[in-house]
Amino acid sequence: MSDRRLVQVAVPVPLAEAFDYLPADDGPLPAPGSRVLVPFGRGERIGIVVDHPASTPLPAGKLKAIRRVLDTVPTIGAELLQTLRWAADYYHHPLGAVLSHALPGLLREGRALDEPPEPTWQLTALGKDQSPDRLVRKAHQQAKALVALQAGSLAVGELRERDITTATLERLAAKGWIEAGAPRTAPDARSLATTAPRLPELTADQRRVLEEIADDERAGSGFRSYLLHGVTGSGKTEVYLRLIAAALATERQTLLLVPEIGLTPQLVGRLRDRFGGELAILHSAVTERERFDAWRRAYRQQAKLIVGTRSAVFAPLPAAGLIIVDEEHDSSYKQQTGFRYSARDLAVVRAQRLNVPIVLGSATPSLETFHNAIAGRYRKVDLPQRIGAAGQPRLKIVDLNRHANRQGLSTPLVAAIDQHLTAGNQVLLFLNRRGFAPALFCPSCKDTEQCTRCDARMTVHARALEVRCHHCGAVRPLEWTCKQCGGERIAVGAGTQRIGEELAALFPAARIARLDRDSTSRKGALDAVLADVAAGNVQILVGTQMLTKGHDFPRVTLVGVLNADQGLFGTDPRSHERLAQTILQVAGRAGRADRPGEVVIQTHYPDHPLLTCLLTRDYAAFATLALAERREAHWPPFAHLAVWHAEAAKREPAFALLERVRNLAGGEDTNGGVTVLGPAAQTMERKDGRYRAQLLFRSAQRAALHRLVDRVLLAIRGSSEAKRVRWSVDIDPLEI
Ligand code: ADP
Ligand code: ZN
């Protein structure tokens, strides 16, 4: 029907796009981006207005009216709404789910935008007279709070960030030393101007990079993508800070995206020092309340620097001036469940719509980004030199075929550790395997303890006296006696825990710390380890992938990569790229400041071309080589991928669904330029009791790929096969 005033509303329910409603009253229609309460099924839902359609396929009698409009001004601005609609389309995910994903929980639940912000605390006159020094011994927490508040008022969330509890604050309030302050709505006093004089003098390279970007800006370039390729420690972060300051100087907002584990106290401290109250932090560790307040400060332009992990790409930016994606190659930018988007890619789309520059920074750019730079779509700006006198670390290979090794520590590596410790420096060892040992093996009957729910071995966690499955979380007691033959079993191979024990035996005088998911699961444990390393209390740090993420350890001069072989022969087309990134990122922790660094890579394949290339040349050389291989093999960025996943308690239904997808897509042959590969079992077929299969669409033409995904989705949603399994489609998958 037509000639009606109609409102189209996206509601967060599975499989649906948007629904038509009548307006709540005769007034103006609620603008797109506004939240509305609508009747839905037997209940009601909060949805987002996405359109005012001219007509609806629904008959008049079926149309229901909106119950209530929650926003007078749209919560989702026009640009963000457009980007989200684009994202729903591109990632083939329901619009309602995408829109609701983009909002903080409290807004999703209908909380009013103009609700008063979180309270703040400030010192009273009496409080200002107190000397925290005198309190330190008796009331350490209170002293800490007083010191924090001496710089000005702080919101409750900011105090919590400093580990200051409500109880402490109440005690201080009872003494009359602190009082409730005005809610934070504008930048506080600790802003740019006060700290500006302490900025370091830029290096020639940093100045050149900033000039190049400023030149474009002066020429009125608006949107432009930059790849800032700078080796670790080359001063990329300082370049970000200057760009942020320049945007701030003209009252414009910057969105700074960082990897999940990159939001370290180090970085936050540096940003807070320089930009004070301009800062709003959005990431998964903040409370809903804090996220709501931070989001609103961005929405109202009270915060000019919005820093966050993946989902912060959906922050409101009404006065956008700049977007930065730090460590753009990091896999945490890709959401791996539900709405499987890439925050890095969406950031580029947003920058384009906002007509602002975007800087993608990394020492080891993704091959996609590197290719975009070579092809001239992104402007490449380089920082080829490290700051300080240390220079690039020297990379060295230890051939594990030629040298004895004890639980994965070769003789030359042990000698190097000894030498660096003797010189008073720190050592960092990387092994992407946590636990004590990756297998529990019986030498007499050759049985290895397997997980009953996964195609995987159980990992030995010796200290906990358990074996654990790292894929489904199953835990069993550690039993050294073999259940099959009664023989004595042994732990084979080494994880971080075993390496730690081995090192303790070899270097009894050294303090050794571990950095992995087991050792940092307790809240605050990660910060504690990092602080210990920074303070020089730890001599050897053994860790997993966590080590590679942007920490600045100035006294580390030796880095050991204990097992490079894990990545050399992976089945995934990206395994080489990932290995190269890991090696260079972890190597980048060696020899900062003025101490030269050394990197020892242990491998059974010392002549592997990837290792040779990294050793004798640099990341750019590796990337060029790897891109040639990708072109040859028709992998991204020379082809576009969509992968269909299906899993079920039995193998058959998972495969049946993918067979059906395959048939719908047109079977064996190429289909409008789309090749269909599979279905095949996933690398670990059974995980957590479910059989997993996948099917790949590949095409040199993005448009053809998306048309085909759309066509298949339309047919498959609601089909009987689809009801029997858990399935999804992943656009631009990271892992295949
Ligand atoms: P990246 O982000 O490339 O790893 P950073 O920006 O963190 O590098 O810089 C590495 C170190 O050098 C930091 O300790 C930083 O404070 C310092 N630094 C950066 N730029 C300069 C400069 N122009 N002069 C002196 N020190 C600098
Ligand atoms: Zn398992």
Side-chain angles (χ1 to χ4, degrees):
M1 61 161 299
S2 64
D3 295 332
R4 277 273 194 183
R5 285 160 25 97
L6 293 166
V7 182
Q8 194 171 58
V9 178
V11 180
V13 290
L15 305 184
E17 294 305 324
F19 304 86
D20 293 337
Y21 286 90
L22 295 168
D25 54 39
D26 296 339
L29 296 180
S34 307
R35 293 172 300 160
V36 290
L37 187 68
V38 293
F40 194 86
R42 256 173 273 159
E44 48 186 27
R45 291 292 189 121
I46 293 171
I48 307 280
V49 176
V50 290
D51 206 357
H52 300 154
S55 63
T56 175
L58 286 178
K62 287 268 180 197
L63 274 173
K64 292 179 184 164
I66 289 172
R67 293 234 164 103
R68 196 153 58 85
V69 179
L70 302 179
D71 293 327
T72 46
V73 182
T75 291
I76 300 180
E79 167 274 328
L80 184 53
L81 184 59
Q82 263 188 19
T83 304
L84 293 168
R85 294 190 78 153
W86 182 90
D89 231 41
Y90 183 83
Y91 292 106
H92 303 270
H93 200 70
L95 180 58
V98 168
L99 294 177
S100 114
H101 188 94
L103 289 178
L106 293 181
L107 285 170
R108 228 180 287 151
E109 290 162 16
R111 196 69 71 93
L113 259 176
D114 52 11
E115 180 172 292
E118 201 176 32
T120 64
W121 287 101
Q122 63 190 23
L123 292 179
T124 59
L126 191 61
K128 284 183 187 146
D129 283 343
Q130 303 305 317
S131 147
D133 292 345
R134 282 196 303 136
L135 274 171
V136 164
R137 291 263 279 326
K138 271 188 13 229
H140 177 73
Q141 288 303 320
Q142 295 181 26
K144 194 160 95 179
L146 285 183
V147 171
L149 289 169
Q150 274 170 352
S153 75
L154 287 171
V156 172
E158 293 170 323
L159 286 159
R160 205 172 313 127
E161 243 174 58
R162 295 164 167 76
D163 286 330
I164 295 165
T165 61
T166 314
T168 304
L169 294 167
E170 277 166 2
R171 232 160 277 146
L172 287 171
K175 289 181 175 170
W177 293 357
I178 66 170
E179 63 190 357
R184 179 77 49 73
T185 53
D188 64 19
R190 298 159 300 148
S191 59
L192 184 62
T194 56
T195 45
R198 284 195 283 114
L199 302 190
E201 176 109 14
L202 293 175
T203 63
D205 282 331
Q206 285 172 327
R207 273 203 306 275
R208 176 179 43 75
V209 163
L210 287 166
E211 262 319 299
E212 285 182 42
I213 297 175
D215 278 348
D216 285 346
E217 181 122 55
R218 274 193 289 275
S221 64
F223 165 68
R224 178 141 202 198
S225 304
Y226 298 88
L227 164 57
L228 174 57
H229 184 196
V231 297
T232 46
S234 60
K236 292 185 293 297
T237 310
E238 188 60 40
V239 168
Y240 302 154
L241 298 182
R242 299 302 173 105
L243 290 170
I244 294 166
L248 257 174
T250 54
E251 299 280 303
R252 284 168 309 155
Q253 291 173 304
T254 299
L255 171 65
L256 169 59
L257 295 182
V258 295
E260 236 148 51
I261 210 164
L263 208 53
T264 56
Q266 259 167 359
L267 176 69
V268 174
R270 220 162 143 188
L271 295 172
R272 206 179 286 288
D273 275 353
R274 223 169 276 186
F275 303 112
E278 303 284 359
L279 187 63
I281 296 179
L282 287 165
H283 67 109
S284 48
V286 304
T287 64
E288 284 298 342
R289 176 73 216 196
E290 287 165 315
R291 196 202 310 275
F292 175 64
D293 281 342
W295 189 97
R296 271 190 326 179
R297 292 177 55 239
Y299 179 85
R300 294 173 172 156
Q301 303 178 41
Q302 288 155 351
K304 295 270 165 38
L305 171 57
I306 297 95
V307 184
T309 48
R310 185 172 60 227
S311 65
V313 74
F314 304 119
L317 297 168
L322 172 69
I323 299 180
I324 300 169
V325 183
D326 186 27
E327 308 291 0
E328 66 85 32
H329 66 278
D330 195 279
S331 59
S332 74
Y333 287 125
K334 175 84 200 237
Q335 172 130 318
Q336 304 281 15
T337 55
F339 174 27
R340 295 172 164 78
Y341 65 95
S342 155
R344 178 201 59 211
D345 294 349
L346 280 182
V348 176
V349 172
R350 272 200 93 179
Q352 194 163 13
R353 287 187 198 284
L354 290 163
N355 196 31
V356 301
I358 177 165
V359 177
L360 307 174
S362 177
T364 54
S366 66
L367 292 185
E368 278 82 356
T369 298
F370 201 82
H371 178 64
N372 276 328
I374 292 175
R377 282 187 289 274
Y378 296 176
R379 179 164 184 182
K380 193 158 167 294
V381 285
D382 291 339
L383 291 174
Q385 305 268 318
R386 279 193 165 190
I387 303 271
Q392 290 292 330
R394 276 182 299 116
L395 269 61
K396 208 173 96 185
I397 294 241
V398 168
D399 181 353
L400 288 177
N401 304 301
R402 290 182 39 219
H403 294 286
N405 86 72
R406 265 177 69 173
Q407 303 304 350
L409 296 167
S410 67
T411 328
L413 179 59
V414 172
I417 295 172
D418 191 29
Q419 192 192 333
H420 284 259
L421 291 183
T422 309
N425 294 327
Q426 288 173 310
V427 173
L428 205 150
L429 300 176
F430 169 76
L431 178 64
N432 215 3
R433 188 183 272 159
R434 63 196 169 85
F436 182 79
L440 184 56
F441 176 72
C442 173
S444 47
C445 76
K446 311 289 183 234
D447 181 68
T448 305
E449 181 139 351
Q450 295 281 326
C451 177
T452 54
R453 300 176 60 76
C454 305
D455 294 332
R457 295 180 184 133
M458 300 296 276
T459 298
V460 180
H461 283 253
R463 216 165 296 168
L465 299 175
E466 285 170 352
V467 291
R468 296 182 196 159
C469 173
H470 286 182
H471 305 281
C472 71
V475 176
R476 291 200 287 266
L478 171 59
E479 284 165 25
W480 292 108
T481 311
C482 178
K483 277 173 244 151
Q484 313 291 331
C485 73
E488 180 78 355
R489 303 199 288 185
I490 53 171
V492 180
T496 46
Q497 212 183 83
R498 187 174 218 169
I499 295 292
E501 293 189 4
E502 203 60 36
L503 288 164
L506 286 166
F507 303 103
R511 238 194 95 188
I512 298 158
R514 206 149 45 86
L515 193 71
D516 57 28
R517 257 203 288 148
D518 301 318
S519 72
T520 57
S521 55
R522 209 166 29 81
K523 190 177 174 329
L526 173 65
D527 292 350
V529 175
L530 293 178
D532 256 0
V533 177
N537 300 334
V538 164
Q539 280 77 52
I540 308 178
L541 182 63
V542 187
T544 56
Q545 204 67 29
M546 287 181 126
L547 283 180
T548 61
K549 311 282 172 121
H551 311 297
D552 195 351
F553 303 131
R555 296 210 276 178
V556 170
T557 51
L558 173 66
V559 166
V561 176
L562 297 187
N563 185 359
D565 300 350
Q566 287 170 339
L568 283 178
F569 301 99
T571 51
D572 191 293
R574 280 194 179 78
S575 52
H576 280 180
E577 177 183 352
R578 257 183 239 121
L579 178 62
Q581 289 166 341
T582 301
I583 290 180
L584 290 188
Q585 290 289 344
V586 71
R589 309 301 133 213
R592 296 199 139 202
D594 47 3
R595 298 168 195 230
E598 187 181 357
V599 180
V600 172
I601 301 167
Q602 300 192 137
T603 176
H604 286 100
Y605 306 91
D607 299 323
H608 194 285
L610 162 64
L611 295 176
T612 318
C613 181
L614 285 182
L615 229 65
T616 56
R617 311 209 25 220
D618 55 10
Y619 186 78
F622 158 76
T624 310
L625 194 78
L627 278 170
E629 282 172 11
R630 294 269 187 96
R631 186 194 292 275
E632 193 72 20
H634 304 289
W635 286 122
F638 303 99
H640 306 288
L641 302 179
V643 62
W644 299 78
H645 290 294
E647 55 173 78
K650 296 211 177 80
R651 181 176 287 138
E652 182 273 324
F655 273 84
L657 174 75
L658 296 183
E659 286 293 352
R660 170 101 186 170
V661 169
R662 184 188 175 81
N663 291 336
L664 286 164
E668 285 292 319
D669 300 322
T670 58
N671 183 323
V674 182
T675 310
V676 181
L677 301 164
Q682 290 182 34
T683 311
M684 182 191 303
E685 182 176 18
R686 215 161 69 92
K687 183 174 167 183
D688 206 5
R690 303 174 72 83
Y691 288 87
R692 309 182 307 155
Q694 67 178 21
L695 178 81
L696 199 63
F697 285 7
R698 176 168 77 180
S699 176
Q701 298 130 29
R702 224 190 257 286
L705 181 82
H706 283 265
R707 270 198 306 276
L708 187 62
V709 171
D710 267 334
R711 187 158 68 69
V712 172
L713 271 176
L714 207 62
I716 207 92
R717 278 183 180 151
S719 74
S720 60
E721 288 95 335
K723 286 194 187 104
R724 295 166 59 204
V725 300
R726 209 182 281 162
W727 63 277
S728 61
V729 58
D730 186 354
I731 306 296
D732 306 332
L734 271 195
E735 282 158 36
I736 52 175

